[in-house]
Amino acid sequence: MPQVMVVARNFMDMVAALPAAKLDMLYDSAFICEAVLRSLPPLAKKYALQMLYVSAPVAAAAMEEWVLDEYAAKHRVAIDRLLQLRVFVEVRDRRKEVSYKMNQKFQGNMQKYLVDGGSLPREPIPSSVTARLPTLAELEAFALEQWECFLLQLINSSQVERGTSFSSSMMRTFQRGLLSSRDGEAPRLTENGFQFLLMETNAQLWYIMREYISSSEERGVDPTELISFLLELSFHTLGEAYSLNTLTDVQRNAIRDLAELGLVKLQQGFVVVETNFRMYAYSTSRLHCEILRLFSRVEYQLPNLIVGSITKESLYGAFENGITAEQIISFLQQNAHPRVADKIPAVPENVTDQIRLWETDRNRVDMTLSHLYEDFPSKDMFDQCCDYARDHGCLLWEDAKKMRLIVRVEFHPEMREFLRRLR
């Protein structure tokens, strides 16, 4: 592969380059602390864990004795990395002797994380609510298609088979060295842009992400918030679905930008439910329409709008298929339109209450075919029959005072044979 001049730095180098105050802000999150700990070289990771419950500064000279002389170079690399990321803070006493102390925020969060165990930044949407999700193979195919589309548009937008227009934030990223444009002319690749195309995919990706973060302040976005969110995403489970409703505006915009690069796949579809049980779903997805048909009556479908209503009959059909009222309500809440998602409740209360009531009505009586036995000649025979039916898991009801019992209908032949033997 030809030598290229564009160098994509390590992601943690960008974290280390943040001002001390902003780096400390990152350590407010236990997940960021864990991500930083994971990124450390093995020896630095060992030092961080060793100092986790040490509150007093440790002299630099004393720490040098923790390793053999032959590992002195690795020791210096480990200490430098810990200082760059402010996991360790340098302290000097009156005699100007150097000691190292662990960052208090990092130390406190990691102690809590190790003792209490962390919870996920965001819980994935249950599979019962999301219905079918793309498989890992489909996600990989989507990512490759998006990335190829991005590279083709970078070379020549006319080569892209399907129209794709990148967001203004992505275009600013490309124009920071990859593209140049003159008045009245279409953007063209720069020398660095051509070199970028010769890089491996991982290096290309890191370069784009570095420039995307570096240009964030031009878009009015705090790079600390962006880095924090990107690190948080590393703890999400591949292939699981997560709701956009739990994200801030900055995070939503970042997700849309990442989707353009194929790093995230958006399952678009916003639902608005009215108090009269009318439902409007803003979606172009055929799958989304079929999901709505599971529990509602779809009346008509436009190119980007599905109109339907939630009826007793449509819900009974959902209940018969094993879908619960809570799953339906959760789906409507998770997919609520952004304009109503922030309201409490996102779905009208009269609708959610009625959905639960219809489920209760359906489950109020459970029909089970059975057989009644009565007029036993003795209490002893009655007890033996009860025990026999109970042992086989077929006893539905018994009345010891009047010596009556009910068993499942399929158990009747065995019970009749048992009674004949007793007589």
Side-chain angles (χ1 to χ4, degrees), residues 192-214:
N192 282 348
F194 284 108
Q195 294 171 1
F196 172 84
L197 293 174
L198 300 179
M199 298 169 69
E200 293 182 354
T201 302
N202 285 342
Q204 290 173 335
L205 181 57
W206 281 122
Y207 176 83
I208 289 295
M209 295 311 300
R210 183 193 72 179
E211 295 301 319
Y212 180 68
I213 295 170
S214 300

PDB file of all heavy atoms in Angstrom, residues 192-214:
ATOM      1  N   ASN A 192      -4.808  15.514   0.101  1.00  0.00           N
ATOM      2  CA  ASN A 192      -5.077  14.667   1.275  1.00  0.00           C
ATOM      3  C   ASN A 192      -6.294  13.784   1.055  1.00  0.00           C
ATOM      4  O   ASN A 192      -6.377  12.670   1.588  1.00  0.00           O
ATOM      5  CB  ASN A 192      -5.293  15.539   2.516  1.00  0.00           C
ATOM      6  CG  ASN A 192      -3.982  16.050   3.089  1.00  0.00           C
ATOM      7  OD1 ASN A 192      -2.917  15.590   2.708  1.00  0.00           O
ATOM      8  ND2 ASN A 192      -4.081  17.019   3.980  1.00  0.00           N
ATOM      9  N   GLY A 193      -7.261  14.279   0.273  1.00  0.00           N
ATOM     10  CA  GLY A 193      -8.436  13.484  -0.015  1.00  0.00           C
ATOM     11  C   GLY A 193      -8.102  12.232  -0.806  1.00  0.00           C
ATOM     12  O   GLY A 193      -8.624  11.140  -0.522  1.00  0.00           O
ATOM     13  N   PHE A 194      -7.213  12.374  -1.809  1.00  0.00           N
ATOM     14  CA  PHE A 194      -6.779  11.206  -2.565  1.00  0.00           C
ATOM     15  C   PHE A 194      -6.014  10.235  -1.677  1.00  0.00           C
ATOM     16  O   PHE A 194      -6.160   9.008  -1.787  1.00  0.00           O
ATOM     17  CB  PHE A 194      -5.898  11.641  -3.744  1.00  0.00           C
ATOM     18  CG  PHE A 194      -6.677  12.220  -4.891  1.00  0.00           C
ATOM     19  CD1 PHE A 194      -6.638  13.575  -5.173  1.00  0.00           C
ATOM     20  CD2 PHE A 194      -7.477  11.406  -5.686  1.00  0.00           C
ATOM     21  CE1 PHE A 194      -7.363  14.105  -6.222  1.00  0.00           C
ATOM     22  CE2 PHE A 194      -8.197  11.931  -6.733  1.00  0.00           C
ATOM     23  CZ  PHE A 194      -8.150  13.288  -7.013  1.00  0.00           C
ATOM     24  N   GLN A 195      -5.172  10.755  -0.777  1.00  0.00           N
ATOM     25  CA  GLN A 195      -4.435   9.895   0.138  1.00  0.00           C
ATOM     26  C   GLN A 195      -5.379   9.172   1.089  1.00  0.00           C
ATOM     27  O   GLN A 195      -5.160   8.003   1.433  1.00  0.00           O
ATOM     28  CB  GLN A 195      -3.419  10.730   0.924  1.00  0.00           C
ATOM     29  CG  GLN A 195      -2.316  11.312   0.060  1.00  0.00           C
ATOM     30  CD  GLN A 195      -1.468  12.303   0.813  1.00  0.00           C
ATOM     31  OE1 GLN A 195      -1.701  12.545   1.994  1.00  0.00           O
ATOM     32  NE2 GLN A 195      -0.496  12.876   0.130  1.00  0.00           N
ATOM     33  N   PHE A 196      -6.442   9.876   1.471  1.00  0.00           N
ATOM     34  CA  PHE A 196      -7.437   9.281   2.353  1.00  0.00           C
ATOM     35  C   PHE A 196      -8.049   8.035   1.730  1.00  0.00           C
ATOM     36  O   PHE A 196      -8.282   7.022   2.398  1.00  0.00           O
ATOM     37  CB  PHE A 196      -8.521  10.319   2.656  1.00  0.00           C
ATOM     38  CG  PHE A 196      -9.717   9.778   3.406  1.00  0.00           C
ATOM     39  CD1 PHE A 196      -9.703   9.659   4.781  1.00  0.00           C
ATOM     40  CD2 PHE A 196     -10.866   9.384   2.718  1.00  0.00           C
ATOM     41  CE1 PHE A 196     -10.806   9.155   5.465  1.00  0.00           C
ATOM     42  CE2 PHE A 196     -11.965   8.889   3.387  1.00  0.00           C
ATOM     43  CZ  PHE A 196     -11.926   8.769   4.762  1.00  0.00           C
ATOM     44  N   LEU A 197      -8.306   8.070   0.423  1.00  0.00           N
ATOM     45  CA  LEU A 197      -8.920   6.943  -0.266  1.00  0.00           C
ATOM     46  C   LEU A 197      -8.031   5.709  -0.274  1.00  0.00           C
ATOM     47  O   LEU A 197      -8.518   4.582  -0.433  1.00  0.00           O
ATOM     48  CB  LEU A 197      -9.268   7.333  -1.706  1.00  0.00           C
ATOM     49  CG  LEU A 197     -10.372   8.385  -1.867  1.00  0.00           C
ATOM     50  CD1 LEU A 197     -10.510   8.788  -3.328  1.00  0.00           C
ATOM     51  CD2 LEU A 197     -11.702   7.862  -1.334  1.00  0.00           C
ATOM     52  N   LEU A 198      -6.702   5.897  -0.110  1.00  0.00           N
ATOM     53  CA  LEU A 198      -5.768   4.777  -0.122  1.00  0.00           C
ATOM     54  C   LEU A 198      -5.575   4.155   1.257  1.00  0.00           C
ATOM     55  O   LEU A 198      -4.906   3.130   1.385  1.00  0.00           O
ATOM     56  CB  LEU A 198      -4.411   5.235  -0.666  1.00  0.00           C
ATOM     57  CG  LEU A 198      -4.417   5.793  -2.094  1.00  0.00           C
ATOM     58  CD1 LEU A 198      -3.022   6.230  -2.491  1.00  0.00           C
ATOM     59  CD2 LEU A 198      -4.948   4.762  -3.076  1.00  0.00           C
ATOM     60  N   MET A 199      -6.162   4.767   2.266  1.00  0.00           N
ATOM     61  CA  MET A 199      -6.013   4.242   3.617  1.00  0.00           C
ATOM     62  C   MET A 199      -6.919   3.041   3.837  1.00  0.00           C
ATOM     63  O   MET A 199      -7.895   2.834   3.117  1.00  0.00           O
ATOM     64  CB  MET A 199      -6.342   5.335   4.647  1.00  0.00           C
ATOM     65  CG  MET A 199      -5.418   6.545   4.594  1.00  0.00           C
ATOM     66  SD  MET A 199      -6.016   7.932   5.598  1.00  0.00           S
ATOM     67  CE  MET A 199      -5.804   7.281   7.227  1.00  0.00           C
ATOM     68  N   GLU A 200      -6.615   2.229   4.844  1.00  0.00           N
ATOM     69  CA  GLU A 200      -7.486   1.127   5.232  1.00  0.00           C
ATOM     70  C   GLU A 200      -8.766   1.698   5.836  1.00  0.00           C
ATOM     71  O   GLU A 200      -8.790   2.823   6.340  1.00  0.00           O
ATOM     72  CB  GLU A 200      -6.781   0.218   6.241  1.00  0.00           C
ATOM     73  CG  GLU A 200      -5.592  -0.518   5.657  1.00  0.00           C
ATOM     74  CD  GLU A 200      -4.944  -1.439   6.667  1.00  0.00           C
ATOM     75  OE1 GLU A 200      -5.370  -1.397   7.842  1.00  0.00           O
ATOM     76  OE2 GLU A 200      -4.034  -2.189   6.286  1.00  0.00           O
ATOM     77  N   THR A 201      -9.803   0.890   5.808  1.00  0.00           N
ATOM     78  CA  THR A 201     -11.113   1.375   6.259  1.00  0.00           C
ATOM     79  C   THR A 201     -11.078   1.851   7.700  1.00  0.00           C
ATOM     80  O   THR A 201     -11.649   2.905   8.034  1.00  0.00           O
ATOM     81  CB  THR A 201     -12.169   0.260   6.112  1.00  0.00           C
ATOM     82  OG1 THR A 201     -12.217  -0.165   4.752  1.00  0.00           O
ATOM     83  CG2 THR A 201     -13.537   0.767   6.525  1.00  0.00           C
ATOM     84  N   ASN A 202     -10.417   1.104   8.596  1.00  0.00           N
ATOM     85  CA  ASN A 202     -10.357   1.514   9.998  1.00  0.00           C
ATOM     86  C   ASN A 202      -9.677   2.869  10.151  1.00  0.00           C
ATOM     87  O   ASN A 202     -10.122   3.720  10.923  1.00  0.00           O
ATOM     88  CB  ASN A 202      -9.613   0.469  10.832  1.00  0.00           C
ATOM     89  CG  ASN A 202     -10.449  -0.767  11.074  1.00  0.00           C
ATOM     90  OD1 ASN A 202     -11.667  -0.726  10.918  1.00  0.00           O
ATOM     91  ND2 ASN A 202      -9.818  -1.865  11.434  1.00  0.00           N
ATOM     92  N   ALA A 203      -8.588   3.070   9.399  1.00  0.00           N
ATOM     93  CA  ALA A 203      -7.878   4.353   9.470  1.00  0.00           C
ATOM     94  C   ALA A 203      -8.735   5.476   8.910  1.00  0.00           C
ATOM     95  O   ALA A 203      -8.748   6.592   9.435  1.00  0.00           O
ATOM     96  CB  ALA A 203      -6.559   4.254   8.706  1.00  0.00           C
ATOM     97  N   GLN A 204      -9.479   5.190   7.823  1.00  0.00           N
ATOM     98  CA  GLN A 204     -10.388   6.191   7.267  1.00  0.00           C
ATOM     99  C   GLN A 204     -11.441   6.598   8.291  1.00  0.00           C
ATOM    100  O   GLN A 204     -11.755   7.777   8.473  1.00  0.00           O
ATOM    101  CB  GLN A 204     -11.066   5.635   6.020  1.00  0.00           C
ATOM    102  CG  GLN A 204     -10.158   5.455   4.827  1.00  0.00           C
ATOM    103  CD  GLN A 204     -10.867   4.749   3.689  1.00  0.00           C
ATOM    104  OE1 GLN A 204     -11.822   4.002   3.900  1.00  0.00           O
ATOM    105  NE2 GLN A 204     -10.404   4.984   2.467  1.00  0.00           N
ATOM    106  N   LEU A 205     -11.988   5.587   8.962  1.00  0.00           N
ATOM    107  CA  LEU A 205     -13.045   5.838   9.932  1.00  0.00           C
ATOM    108  C   LEU A 205     -12.541   6.690  11.088  1.00  0.00           C
ATOM    109  O   LEU A 205     -13.197   7.649  11.511  1.00  0.00           O
ATOM    110  CB  LEU A 205     -13.597   4.507  10.449  1.00  0.00           C
ATOM    111  CG  LEU A 205     -14.742   4.587  11.453  1.00  0.00           C
ATOM    112  CD1 LEU A 205     -15.914   5.357  10.871  1.00  0.00           C
ATOM    113  CD2 LEU A 205     -15.173   3.197  11.863  1.00  0.00           C
ATOM    114  N   TRP A 206     -11.356   6.344  11.613  1.00  0.00           N
ATOM    115  CA  TRP A 206     -10.815   7.127  12.721  1.00  0.00           C
ATOM    116  C   TRP A 206     -10.520   8.558  12.286  1.00  0.00           C
ATOM    117  O   TRP A 206     -10.683   9.500  13.058  1.00  0.00           O
ATOM    118  CB  TRP A 206      -9.553   6.472  13.271  1.00  0.00           C
ATOM    119  CG  TRP A 206      -9.828   5.315  14.163  1.00  0.00           C
ATOM    120  CD1 TRP A 206      -9.395   4.038  14.011  1.00  0.00           C
ATOM    121  CD2 TRP A 206     -10.635   5.323  15.353  1.00  0.00           C
ATOM    122  NE1 TRP A 206      -9.884   3.248  15.018  1.00  0.00           N
ATOM    123  CE2 TRP A 206     -10.646   4.009  15.857  1.00  0.00           C
ATOM    124  CE3 TRP A 206     -11.358   6.302  16.030  1.00  0.00           C
ATOM    125  CZ2 TRP A 206     -11.324   3.654  17.018  1.00  0.00           C
ATOM    126  CZ3 TRP A 206     -12.048   5.954  17.177  1.00  0.00           C
ATOM    127  CH2 TRP A 206     -12.033   4.652  17.659  1.00  0.00           C
ATOM    128  N   TYR A 207     -10.058   8.726  11.036  1.00  0.00           N
ATOM    129  CA  TYR A 207      -9.785  10.073  10.546  1.00  0.00           C
ATOM    130  C   TYR A 207     -11.075  10.907  10.511  1.00  0.00           C
ATOM    131  O   TYR A 207     -11.105  12.058  10.955  1.00  0.00           O
ATOM    132  CB  TYR A 207      -9.169  10.001   9.145  1.00  0.00           C
ATOM    133  CG  TYR A 207      -8.936  11.356   8.524  1.00  0.00           C
ATOM    134  CD1 TYR A 207      -7.799  12.091   8.820  1.00  0.00           C
ATOM    135  CD2 TYR A 207      -9.885  11.907   7.655  1.00  0.00           C
ATOM    136  CE1 TYR A 207      -7.593  13.351   8.261  1.00  0.00           C
ATOM    137  CE2 TYR A 207      -9.700  13.158   7.091  1.00  0.00           C
ATOM    138  CZ  TYR A 207      -8.548  13.874   7.390  1.00  0.00           C
ATOM    139  OH  TYR A 207      -8.360  15.118   6.845  1.00  0.00           O
ATOM    140  N   ILE A 208     -12.142  10.309   9.976  1.00  0.00           N
ATOM    141  CA  ILE A 208     -13.417  11.017   9.892  1.00  0.00           C
ATOM    142  C   ILE A 208     -13.921  11.384  11.293  1.00  0.00           C
ATOM    143  O   ILE A 208     -14.385  12.506  11.542  1.00  0.00           O
ATOM    144  CB  ILE A 208     -14.466  10.160   9.151  1.00  0.00           C
ATOM    145  CG1 ILE A 208     -14.127  10.074   7.665  1.00  0.00           C
ATOM    146  CG2 ILE A 208     -15.869  10.727   9.330  1.00  0.00           C
ATOM    147  CD1 ILE A 208     -14.196  11.396   6.933  1.00  0.00           C
ATOM    148  N   MET A 209     -13.834  10.429  12.225  1.00  0.00           N
ATOM    149  CA  MET A 209     -14.326  10.692  13.569  1.00  0.00           C
ATOM    150  C   MET A 209     -13.487  11.774  14.253  1.00  0.00           C
ATOM    151  O   MET A 209     -14.013  12.615  14.990  1.00  0.00           O
ATOM    152  CB  MET A 209     -14.310   9.410  14.409  1.00  0.00           C
ATOM    153  CG  MET A 209     -15.273   8.327  13.919  1.00  0.00           C
ATOM    154  SD  MET A 209     -16.949   8.934  13.607  1.00  0.00           S
ATOM    155  CE  MET A 209     -17.401   9.542  15.223  1.00  0.00           C
ATOM    156  N   ARG A 210     -12.186  11.767  14.017  1.00  0.00           N
ATOM    157  CA  ARG A 210     -11.330  12.803  14.609  1.00  0.00           C
ATOM    158  C   ARG A 210     -11.723  14.183  14.099  1.00  0.00           C
ATOM    159  O   ARG A 210     -11.880  15.137  14.878  1.00  0.00           O
ATOM    160  CB  ARG A 210      -9.864  12.515  14.266  1.00  0.00           C
ATOM    161  CG  ARG A 210      -8.891  13.498  14.909  1.00  0.00           C
ATOM    162  CD  ARG A 210      -7.504  13.374  14.310  1.00  0.00           C
ATOM    163  NE  ARG A 210      -7.478  13.928  12.952  1.00  0.00           N
ATOM    164  CZ  ARG A 210      -6.387  13.959  12.201  1.00  0.00           C
ATOM    165  NH1 ARG A 210      -5.251  13.436  12.644  1.00  0.00           N
ATOM    166  NH2 ARG A 210      -6.428  14.496  10.993  1.00  0.00           N
ATOM    167  N   GLU A 211     -11.897  14.296  12.772  1.00  0.00           N
ATOM    168  CA  GLU A 211     -12.272  15.587  12.205  1.00  0.00           C
ATOM    169  C   GLU A 211     -13.683  15.983  12.622  1.00  0.00           C
ATOM    170  O   GLU A 211     -13.978  17.166  12.813  1.00  0.00           O
ATOM    171  CB  GLU A 211     -12.169  15.523  10.674  1.00  0.00           C
ATOM    172  CG  GLU A 211     -10.759  15.305  10.156  1.00  0.00           C
ATOM    173  CD  GLU A 211      -9.818  16.402  10.618  1.00  0.00           C
ATOM    174  OE1 GLU A 211     -10.213  17.578  10.609  1.00  0.00           O
ATOM    175  OE2 GLU A 211      -8.671  16.077  11.013  1.00  0.00           O
ATOM    176  N   TYR A 212     -14.556  14.998  12.762  1.00  0.00           N
ATOM    177  CA  TYR A 212     -15.931  15.271  13.178  1.00  0.00           C
ATOM    178  C   TYR A 212     -15.954  15.872  14.584  1.00  0.00           C
ATOM    179  O   TYR A 212     -16.696  16.823  14.862  1.00  0.00           O
ATOM    180  CB  TYR A 212     -16.734  13.969  13.137  1.00  0.00           C
ATOM    181  CG  TYR A 212     -18.180  14.094  13.555  1.00  0.00           C
ATOM    182  CD1 TYR A 212     -19.089  14.796  12.776  1.00  0.00           C
ATOM    183  CD2 TYR A 212     -18.640  13.486  14.724  1.00  0.00           C
ATOM    184  CE1 TYR A 212     -20.429  14.896  13.156  1.00  0.00           C
ATOM    185  CE2 TYR A 212     -19.969  13.577  15.103  1.00  0.00           C
ATOM    186  CZ  TYR A 212     -20.858  14.284  14.322  1.00  0.00           C
ATOM    187  OH  TYR A 212     -22.171  14.384  14.703  1.00  0.00           O
ATOM    188  N   ILE A 213     -15.143  15.322  15.472  1.00  0.00           N
ATOM    189  CA  ILE A 213     -15.073  15.845  16.843  1.00  0.00           C
ATOM    190  C   ILE A 213     -14.357  17.187  16.870  1.00  0.00           C
ATOM    191  O   ILE A 213     -14.779  18.137  17.551  1.00  0.00           O
ATOM    192  CB  ILE A 213     -14.370  14.832  17.767  1.00  0.00           C
ATOM    193  CG1 ILE A 213     -15.207  13.555  17.888  1.00  0.00           C
ATOM    194  CG2 ILE A 213     -14.128  15.423  19.149  1.00  0.00           C
ATOM    195  CD1 ILE A 213     -14.506  12.410  18.579  1.00  0.00           C
ATOM    196  N   SER A 214     -13.258  17.299  16.096  1.00  0.00           N
ATOM    197  CA  SER A 214     -12.476  18.537  16.094  1.00  0.00           C
ATOM    198  C   SER A 214     -13.281  19.723  15.586  1.00  0.00           C
ATOM    199  O   SER A 214     -13.055  20.862  16.012  1.00  0.00           O
ATOM    200  CB  SER A 214     -11.223  18.362  15.227  1.00  0.00           C
ATOM    201  OG  SER A 214     -10.408  17.324  15.722  1.00  0.00           O
TER     202      SER A 214
END
